[in-house]
Amino acid sequence: MGLVSVLLIGGGVIAFLYMRDSAQKTTVALSTTDPFPTTTTAPPSDQPSASPSDPPTSEPAEPTPDPSDTRPTTSKRVDPDSPLTDDEFEDWDFKLGDVELEAKKVAGWTYDSCDPVDGQGVLAKNDCQRAVQLAYSAYGGHIKAVQLLMSFPSEAAAKTTASRLAKLTSDAVKWRTDKTHKSYVYGKMRSGASKKYVVVTVLTADKAAKPMATYYHQYLQSDIASYFLFRDLTVTS
């Protein structure tokens, strides 16, 4: 199943990059603060799995979504404002125009609080209620990603948290480093607030998948953030 195929650029979703946990032996390199790449590169010719479509040559246009036109992220529809669980999210199957990307969900964890993923107390200070952690693998294992999804009591609390995290190093959150590459040529985080949720996406890639890493990263982060725009809406006939 795919997530909502909507790209968010600014506005409702705040994107930023920051360093990985300094305690790790390998360091995530900082990149441009622009959440989308200014140039793109075609995927390597020796990819081990089915190749996704070529990266766009320009930044995708921002659509104006309608809730009735979006695809649910899972076959199970959740009730508005229901607690987050990792079962809510399945394999990532993204389609938007000529763009087609896939990632297999390899693991998921649901936490009754945000304590297990709170590295510096920022989440607790802003009353983070619940957290989910998801692990994905794509491109024949050459791309690996971990997402932290955290719910808050209000949009203001989520935005405040995202703004605070943007000023800190990555040890402000704790994530499953065993589900990303131990050595890699691409390793970055993206994060932002969407409604009452904060989304953090960590993605690593080895040399074979480096040309596609930013491409995957931008869409994975944007797509899940888009999902939360509509998750808690009550649609009436």
Side-chain angles (χ1 to χ4, degrees):
M1 274 299 187
L3 301 178
V4 179
S5 298
V6 179
L7 287 179
L8 299 180
I9 304 174
V13 176
I14 306 166
F16 60 87
L17 308 181
Y18 54 104
M19 295 286 288
R20 185 180 176 178
D21 192 336
S22 58
Q24 299 300 312
K25 297 299 183 182
T26 50
T27 303
V28 171
L30 290 170
S31 72
T32 174
T33 56
D34 181 0
F36 294 92
T38 55
T39 59
T40 54
T41 307
S45 58
D46 59 347
Q47 69 256 23
S49 59
S51 65
S53 57
D54 289 342
T57 57
S58 61
E59 183 175 295
E62 181 178 5
T64 53
D66 185 310
S68 62
D69 295 333
T70 61
R71 295 180 298 152
T73 185
T74 175
S75 57
K76 297 170 288 186
R77 297 188 63 87
V78 299
D79 294 328
D81 296 313
S82 58
L84 281 174
T85 69
D86 68 276
D87 289 337
E88 188 174 335
F89 305 93
E90 298 182 344
D91 293 347
W92 187 57
D93 182 8
F94 180 87
K95 293 181 176 65
L96 181 63
D98 293 333
V99 177
E100 296 187 17
L101 299 173
E102 297 179 354
K104 181 177 178 58
K105 178 186 174 184
V106 296
W109 302 266
T110 298
Y111 309 107
D112 293 332
S113 74
C114 295
D115 291 346
V117 298
D118 196 350
Q120 294 183 9
V122 175
L123 305 182
K125 183 177 181 180
N126 291 287
D127 300 319
C128 186
Q129 298 171 317
R130 192 177 179 89
V132 159
Q133 193 163 188
L134 306 170
Y136 292 101
S137 177
Y139 217 45
H142 293 283
I143 289 176
K144 295 184 179 181
V146 173
Q147 281 193 322
L148 295 175
L149 314 176
M150 297 158 284
S151 62
F152 291 80
S154 67
E155 292 184 28
K159 289 179 181 179
T160 298
T161 302
S163 296
R164 179 58 182 153
L165 289 177
K167 299 177 175 66
L168 302 173
T169 54
S170 67
D171 58 3
V173 292
K174 294 185 287 188
W175 46 278
R176 294 291 300 256
T177 57
D178 61 315
K179 295 302 180 181
T180 55
H181 295 96
K182 295 186 181 303
S183 61
Y184 45 80
V185 296
Y186 176 101
K188 294 172 185 162
M189 282 185 174
R190 295 174 184 262
S191 180
S194 180
K195 293 292 186 178
K196 299 187 296 182
Y197 303 89
V198 170
V199 179
V200 175
T201 305
V202 182
L203 188 141
T204 60
D206 61 18
K207 184 177 180 180
K210 183 181 178 181
M212 293 298 299
T214 300
Y215 190 48
Y216 263 87
H217 206 173
Q218 69 180 47
Y219 282 111
L220 183 57
Q221 171 72 18
S222 298
D223 199 31
I224 187 62
S226 301
Y227 166 70
F228 284 120
L229 286 180
F230 308 117
R231 180 187 186 272
D232 298 325
L233 290 181
T234 301
V235 180
T236 58
S237 59

Coordinates of all heavy atoms in Angstrom, one line a residue, residues 3-6 65-72 230:
L3 N 1.5 5.5 0.6 CA 1.2 6.6 1.5 C 0.5 7.6 0.6 O 0.4 7.5 -0.6 CB 2.4 7.1 2.2 CG 3.2 6.1 3.0 CD1 4.4 6.8 3.6 CD2 2.3 5.6 4.1
V4 N 0.0 8.7 1.2 CA -0.6 9.8 0.5 C 0.4 10.4 -0.4 O 1.5 10.8 0.0 CB -1.1 10.9 1.5 CG1 -1.7 12.0 0.7 CG2 -2.1 10.2 2.4
S5 N 0.1 10.5 -1.7 CA 1.1 11.0 -2.7 C 1.0 12.5 -2.8 O 0.5 13.0 -3.8 CB 0.8 10.3 -4.0 OG 1.0 8.9 -3.9
V6 N 1.5 13.2 -1.8 CA 1.5 14.6 -1.8 C 2.9 15.1 -1.4 O 3.4 14.6 -0.4 CB 0.4 15.2 -0.8 CG1 0.5 16.7 -0.8 CG2 -0.9 14.7 -1.2
P65 N -3.8 19.1 -2.7 CA -4.5 17.9 -2.4 C -5.9 18.0 -2.0 O -6.3 19.0 -1.3 CB -3.6 17.2 -1.4 CG -3.1 18.4 -0.6 CD -2.8 19.4 -1.6
D66 N -6.7 17.0 -2.3 CA -8.0 16.9 -1.8 C -8.1 15.6 -1.1 O -7.7 14.6 -1.6 CB -9.0 16.9 -3.0 CG -10.5 16.9 -2.5 OD1 -10.8 16.1 -1.6 OD2 -11.3 17.7 -3.0
P67 N -8.6 15.6 0.2 CA -8.6 14.3 0.9 C -9.3 13.2 0.2 O -8.9 12.0 0.3 CB -9.4 14.7 2.2 CG -9.2 16.2 2.3 CD -9.1 16.7 0.9
S68 N -10.3 13.5 -0.6 CA -11.0 12.4 -1.4 C -10.1 11.8 -2.5 O -10.4 10.7 -2.9 CB -12.3 12.9 -2.0 OG -12.0 13.9 -2.9
D69 N -9.0 12.5 -2.9 CA -8.2 12.0 -4.0 C -7.0 11.3 -3.5 O -6.2 10.8 -4.2 CB -7.7 13.2 -4.8 CG -8.9 13.8 -5.5 OD1 -9.9 13.1 -5.8 OD2 -8.8 15.0 -5.8
T70 N -6.7 11.3 -2.2 CA -5.5 10.7 -1.6 C -5.7 9.2 -1.4 O -6.8 8.7 -1.2 CB -5.1 11.3 -0.3 OG1 -6.2 11.1 0.6 CG2 -4.9 12.8 -0.5
R71 N -4.6 8.5 -1.4 CA -4.6 7.0 -1.1 C -4.2 6.8 0.3 O -3.3 7.4 0.9 CB -3.6 6.3 -2.0 CG -3.9 6.4 -3.5 CD -2.8 5.7 -4.3 NE -1.5 6.3 -4.0 CZ -0.3 5.6 -4.1 NH1 -0.3 4.4 -4.3 NH2 0.8 6.3 -3.9
P72 N -4.9 5.9 1.0 CA -4.6 5.6 2.4 C -3.2 4.9 2.5 O -2.8 4.2 1.5 CB -5.7 4.6 2.8 CG -6.2 4.0 1.6 CD -6.0 5.0 0.5
F230 N -4.1 14.4 6.7 CA -5.5 13.9 6.6 C -5.9 12.7 7.6 O -7.0 12.3 7.6 CB -5.7 13.3 5.2 CG -5.3 14.3 4.1 CD1 -4.2 14.1 3.2 CD2 -5.9 15.5 4.0 CE1 -3.9 15.0 2.3 CE2 -5.6 16.5 3.0 CZ -4.5 16.2 2.2

